[in-house]
Amino acid sequence: MNHRPRKRFGQNFLHDPVIIDKIIQAIRPQPSDALVEIGPGQGAITHPLLRAAGRLTVVELDRDLVEPLKENAAGLGELIVHNADALSFNFCDLDGKERLRVIGNLPYNISTPLLFHLLDQHSCIRDMHFMLQKEVVDRMAASPGNGQYGRLSVMLQYRCRVTPLFTIGPGAFNPPPKVASAFVRLEPWREPPVQLSNEALFATVVKQAFSQRRKTLRNTLRDLLDVEEITALGIDPSARAESLDLPAFAALANRLGELRQS
């Protein structure tokens, strides 16, 4: 395609055939899969996905790419194009009995809100494979005690298994981004790893705990739980949020729920 990448859409088009092949091998698309690609761009992985599965749905915001995508995919299989913003797209509205396999080279400027938007629809998603800024993938997969561990780590790991697969250098894209990228697999849990009485309160506790990373829980959570309540759960109020694992955050949220109901 003769299309100049647009900065306002965060476009960095993948072109490296070696990386494209690694991506397809990692996804292992099958004819029975309900594949959905976000931001197909110039079709770098669209075409091999379509050849392998025979049917592919794509969500592309840039209307100038829609017709070229259709034309270049002619004869490869059934390509269904939605000219829409993935941030507001209802993926669960897509027809089909199979849960979705979502793939994409996500624009770095919207990657985090888009991930949360997709996680809100996790019930209809089988797995997700994304190219993201490596720093974001590091945060997604980080463990307690790691400097990268934060709100994104906790919220994503509550919803899904996070598996970083491989790093992608800037030269694989046009134009090359200023940072390294990584390819990651996200698999929504059938059953969450912890039980929550109220997911909204869990999100509130996690957000508040990480709102001031250098402060202790006694300070960041003081509007939600007092020192005695935190201590009664076996959690040190002088600890920082980055030291808490997922069960600890769940315990804090469930206790807050009990207090709100009493």
Side-chain angles (χ1 to χ4, degrees):
M1 295 181 192
N2 185 20
H3 180 88
R4 179 174 295 178
R6 291 174 174 168
K7 189 173 182 180
R8 66 190 176 101
F9 290 144
Q11 292 175 338
N12 299 91
F13 297 134
L14 183 67
H15 65 81
D16 188 323
V18 174
I19 296 298
I20 292 168
D21 187 56
K22 287 184 70 173
I23 288 169
I24 300 303
Q25 288 186 42
I27 298 169
R28 297 179 64 84
Q30 303 297 317
S32 59
D33 290 342
L35 295 174
V36 181
E37 184 184 3
I38 297 173
Q42 296 180 316
I45 60 174
T46 307
H47 297 161
L49 287 173
L50 196 52
R51 288 190 195 97
R55 189 174 190 269
L56 173 66
T57 298
V58 301
V59 181
E60 175 56 61
L61 179 60
D62 190 344
R63 62 187 178 188
D64 291 340
L65 288 172
V66 171
E67 288 307 316
L69 276 167
K70 292 179 180 178
E71 292 171 6
N72 291 336
L76 298 178
E78 182 184 1
L79 183 68
I80 303 162
V81 181
H82 293 269
N83 181 204
D85 186 348
L87 278 171
S88 56
F89 191 79
N90 192 332
F91 291 86
C92 289
D93 278 351
L94 294 174
D95 293 333
K97 296 179 181 179
E98 297 295 325
R99 289 191 300 152
L100 305 176
R101 304 194 69 198
V102 185
I103 302 122
N105 175 17
L106 302 188
Y108 294 159
N109 57 336
I110 64 163
S111 60
T112 298
L114 185 51
L115 286 169
F116 280 107
H117 177 62
L118 287 161
L119 289 175
D120 286 341
Q121 303 175 68
H122 70 281
S123 61
C124 64
I125 296 175
R126 173 180 149 192
D127 60 24
M128 296 174 275
H129 289 84
F130 294 134
M131 281 162 282
L132 294 163
Q133 186 173 340
K134 184 178 182 298
E135 179 185 345
V136 173
V137 173
D138 290 343
R139 286 164 49 204
M140 290 162 58
S143 302
N146 185 309
Q148 299 281 357
Y149 185 70
R151 176 184 173 227
L152 183 64
S153 319
V154 177
M155 297 305 296
L156 275 176
Q157 291 170 29
Y158 166 65
R159 288 291 191 196
C160 54
R161 178 184 291 111
V162 181
T163 309
L165 297 175
F166 51 85
T167 301
I168 307 172
F173 301 91
N174 176 41
K178 296 180 180 179
V179 295
S181 305
F183 195 60
V184 63
R185 177 183 294 130
L186 305 175
E187 299 168 278
W189 303 112
R190 286 298 187 106
E191 293 293 333
V194 293
Q195 296 300 311
L196 298 176
S197 59
N198 187 313
E199 290 186 354
L201 287 181
F202 174 72
T204 297
V205 167
V206 174
K207 182 178 180 180
Q208 193 68 23
F210 283 104
S211 61
Q212 301 177 74
R213 292 186 66 96
R214 296 190 62 82
K215 290 196 173 183
T216 62
L217 297 175
R218 73 170 70 241
N219 292 312
T220 58
L221 299 181
R222 62 185 177 186
D223 295 333
L224 303 175
L225 295 164
D226 61 29
V227 169
E228 288 72 23
E229 295 289 352
I230 297 172
T231 303
L233 296 171
I235 299 171
D236 183 358
S238 64
R240 295 190 176 97
E242 64 188 34
S243 68
L244 269 61
D245 59 13
L246 189 55
F249 280 110
L252 290 167
N254 289 338
R255 182 55 184 149
L256 178 58
E258 293 172 1
L259 293 173
R260 293 276 176 94
Q261 290 180 344
S262 62

